Amino acid sequence: RSRLKIPRGAPEYGCPYSCAVSEFVWTPSAEDVESANLTRLARRLGVERYHDLHRISIEEPERFWPAVIEDLGLEFSEPWDRVVDTSRGVEWATWFVGGKLNLAWNCVHRWAAGELAEQEAAIWQGEDGARASLTWRELSDEVFRLAEGLAAVGIGEGDAVGILLPMSPQVAIASHACAHLGAVQVPIFSGFAAPAISARLADAKAKALITADGSLRRGQIVPMKEIADEALGDAPTVSHTIVWRRLGLDDVPMTFGRDRFWDELIADTSGGLTPRQVDSEHPYLLAYTSGTTGRPKGALHVQGGFLVSIAREVAYQTNVKPGDRIHFTTDMGWIMGPWTVVGGGACGATIVYAEGAPDFPPDRLWKLVESERVTMLGVSPTLIRALMPKGDPETDLSSLKAICTTGEPWNRDPYLWLFERVGGGRVPIVNESGGTEVGACFLATSVTEPVKPVALGFPALGQDMDVFGTDGAPVRGEVGELVCKRPWPGMTRGIWGDDARYLDAYWRRFPGIWTHGDWASVDEDGYWFLHGRSDDTLNIAGKRIGPAELESAAVGHHAVAEA
């Protein structure tokens, strides 16, 4: 058996292992550490450093998770009996057993009832230059009214509702209205064609779909309602369609008895429908994977575990605080869309939404950061590679406090460009990796520890991570399978309607251990790195070659712009 070794002193560009050396690009100041949310939580639990806090999060979950909930002010209407129950096996662990809550209350309504009520909660920039904003009070009112409107057409607890919208405050309103009712949201990528939309709606047995008349992308109209109508031909369970008049089109196709405009649906609502208090394990979200290795998988997430996991990540990994301003270049159909809506809301942060493409025009993203004074920016490595050839930012990016990156392994040069040209060498890159089924991150940079280029820092709080060889034994200094040895609150509660597929996909390679399907390694300083998907691998002369190696080799060539 041959394992790929991590070379020291590898070439600076073209090798994904080149950063497994003892170098740091950013080190927190004493003030950074002192003011971090993570430091506050650590002291609440009687420790000072990240690694001590992580140890408690793994070894003492009954102590750690209640401390997180208390520290962040998350509210359960009824207390839980047990923090975690693994009596059905770790694969089916349940969390905050017996507790009741409402996610929409925790992410919106509680702020509207407090001192943030008149501060901006949601900001929107359309691709055509339009701008709108909602205060916490206004956002809460819109959620109440849409929830009441949905209830009036028969949507209730446990019903699945598709969300096919451009990034806008309306995605947050729709998402939280579903949670308000105890309905199950099914966010769908706004750029999908009809067959991909119908496959998800049909699999979820969705009862309703919330969409828009149209949207703008790269200066062109995307006819979202027309695309939705085509999809509904193969989604027979959808009996109600709610249409947001984003463009105010005069010729929107509407089916009598099924379709209603959003503004008409809520016109006569009172806004007095009380948020439904549901069990911690009540279904919240069906997040579909891309389906690159088969039909799309609907990862089921629940109200209690998803809220606590995402709030923990946004607060302690990216250090977001009430009043901060978040913009993530994402879509509700990618898990980072719900991550932003739930995490930003739970932390009391203003969320900036942007319709259309982040690189149209090329400096659009940088102008948005400047104009909205964004403090936490979320991007993918692919986006940064696409923006690099278009020139360095020429706007004021001094508002940035952290940059969150996720989605794939980094190449070194784009990482350093982001750090130096966007962050000015002063802003930490919080590099994260998790997944749709994870409901948060497995690995993440900590803002209280030095940062290595392209590294993912350490296992995230509450995540018992390891790297296994083919024999199921831990390895260090070598590439192996990324695994998680204990359950966590944000983990999927299974693949919708297919328990066997869930077990086969994640739990049967190493029984009782979650196998994620990523190559990973840990260097001599304890920093973690990813090297691509372990299920997309070639074995050449006994060496395992993953997509990250091929991609880095390609983009390292002067003639290649993107791979």
Side-chain angles (χ1 to χ4, degrees), residues 144-192:
F144 266 97
R145 296 177 69 194
L146 181 59
E148 187 176 338
L150 291 173
V153 297
I155 304 302
E157 187 172 330
D159 290 331
V161 178
I163 299 175
L164 178 69
L165 290 167
M167 287 306 282
S168 57
Q170 280 66 30
V171 301
I173 296 167
S175 173
H176 292 312
C178 290
H180 188 108
L181 292 171
V184 185
Q185 63 190 278
V186 186
I188 300 171
F189 173 52
S190 60
F192 271 151

Side-chain angles (χ1 to χ4, degrees), residues 32-47:
D32 291 331
V33 175
E34 182 64 27
S35 64
N37 292 334
L38 189 142
T39 300
R40 184 185 66 240
L41 176 64
R43 289 174 179 168
R44 180 182 289 268
L45 289 165
V47 295

Side-chain angles (χ1 to χ4, degrees), residues 127-148:
E127 194 177 80
D128 56 359
R131 183 188 187 276
S133 68
L134 295 170
T135 66
W136 286 103
R137 193 186 305 281
E138 291 168 335
L139 179 62
S140 176
D141 181 62
E142 292 293 331
V143 171
F144 266 97
R145 296 177 69 194
L146 181 59
E148 187 176 338

Side-chain angles (χ1 to χ4, degrees), residues 172 265 294 339:
L265 177 72
W339 183 98

Side-chain angles (χ1 to χ4, degrees), residues 8 13 16 45 62 69 101 176 198 202 214 228 306 325 378 388 390 427 450 495 508 548 554:
R8 295 188 62 80
Y13 197 39
L45 289 165
E62 295 83 1
I69 291 168
L101 77 161
H176 292 312
S198 61
F306 195 78
R325 299 165 80 86
M388 282 178 64
K390 298 177 181 181
V427 178
I495 301 304
R508 287 181 170 151

Side-chain angles (χ1 to χ4, degrees), residues 124-127 163-172 174 188-191 210-217 222 224-225 244-247 262 330-333 353-356:
W124 174 65
Q125 286 196 7
E127 194 177 80
I163 299 175
L164 178 69
L165 290 167
M167 287 306 282
S168 57
Q170 280 66 30
V171 301
I188 300 171
F189 173 52
S190 60
I210 303 173
T211 189
D213 57 356
S215 182
L216 299 177
R217 187 169 182 87
V222 180
M224 297 188 74
K225 179 58 166 60
W244 172 42
R245 300 189 215 235
R246 156 61 186 108
L247 298 179
W262 183 323
T330 185
D331 186 277
M332 281 299 283
Y353 300 89
E355 174 191 49

Side-chain angles (χ1 to χ4, degrees), residues 50-354:
Y50 183 86
H51 299 290
D52 295 324
L53 181 61
H54 182 264
R55 175 184 52 76
I56 292 173
S57 75
I58 297 304
E59 297 177 358
E60 303 178 63
E62 295 83 1
R63 182 178 168 219
F64 174 77
W65 291 106
V68 167
I69 291 168
E70 182 179 0
D71 186 64
L72 296 180
L74 302 178
E75 299 178 13
F76 280 66
S77 58
E78 293 186 20
W80 55 84
D81 301 318
R82 299 178 61 184
V83 171
V84 59
D85 180 4
T86 58
S87 59
R88 295 170 56 214
V90 294
E91 303 91 340
W92 306 106
T94 55
W95 290 81
F96 316 115
V97 180
K100 288 192 174 183
L101 77 161
N102 185 275
L103 186 145
W105 171 264
N106 279 279
C107 292
V108 181
H109 303 319
R110 70 180 174 119
W111 302 113
E115 60 184 23
L116 294 182
E118 302 308 324
Q119 294 187 21
E120 287 180 319
I123 295 170
W124 174 65
Q125 286 196 7
E127 194 177 80
D128 56 359
R131 183 188 187 276
S133 68
L134 295 170
T135 66
W136 286 103
R137 193 186 305 281
E138 291 168 335
L139 179 62
S140 176
D141 181 62
E142 292 293 331
V143 171
F144 266 97
R145 296 177 69 194
L146 181 59
E148 187 176 338
L150 291 173
V153 297
I155 304 302
E157 187 172 330
D159 290 331
V161 178
I163 299 175
L164 178 69
L165 290 167
M167 287 306 282
S168 57
Q170 280 66 30
V171 301
I173 296 167
S175 173
H176 292 312
C178 290
H180 188 108
L181 292 171
V184 185
Q185 63 190 278
V186 186
I188 300 171
F189 173 52
S190 60
F192 271 151
I197 298 168
S198 61
R200 287 153 175 79
L201 293 174
D203 186 70
K205 296 181 172 55
K207 191 172 179 178
L209 174 66
I210 303 173
T211 189
D213 57 356
S215 182
L216 299 177
R217 187 169 182 87
R218 300 192 182 281
Q220 303 296 315
I221 292 178
V222 180
M224 297 188 74
K225 179 58 166 60
E226 293 181 16
I227 296 169
D229 283 345
E230 182 183 349
L232 293 179
D234 293 317
T237 60
V238 176
S239 55
H240 302 283
T241 304
I242 315 304
V243 183
W244 172 42
R245 300 189 215 235
R246 156 61 186 108
L247 298 179
L249 301 177
D250 295 328
D251 55 348
V252 182
M254 300 290 281
T255 299
F256 181 77
R258 186 196 69 185
D259 300 347
R260 293 170 176 81
F261 285 112
W262 183 323
D263 58 312
E264 295 174 357
L265 177 72
I266 67 172
D268 297 323
T269 54
S270 66
L273 184 66
T274 303
R276 182 80 171 175
Q277 300 302 308
V278 298
D279 188 87
S280 299
E281 289 291 311
H282 184 77
Y284 165 70
L285 165 74
L286 274 180
Y288 280 87
T289 63
S290 60
T292 54
T293 56
R295 75 181 190 279
K297 300 192 296 286
L300 173 63
H301 292 292
V302 300
Q303 286 223 14
F306 195 78
L307 169 67
V308 175
S309 274
I310 300 298
R312 166 221 57 176
E313 183 168 326
V314 175
Y316 304 123
Q317 306 292 166
T318 62
N319 201 36
V320 169
K321 303 176 181 182
D324 279 348
R325 299 165 80 86
I326 294 176
H327 174 68
F328 214 116
T329 55
T330 185
D331 186 277
M332 281 299 283
W334 184 29
I335 195 63
M336 301 314 291
W339 183 98
T340 302
V341 167
V342 173
C347 292
T350 303
I351 301 174
V352 181
Y353 300 89

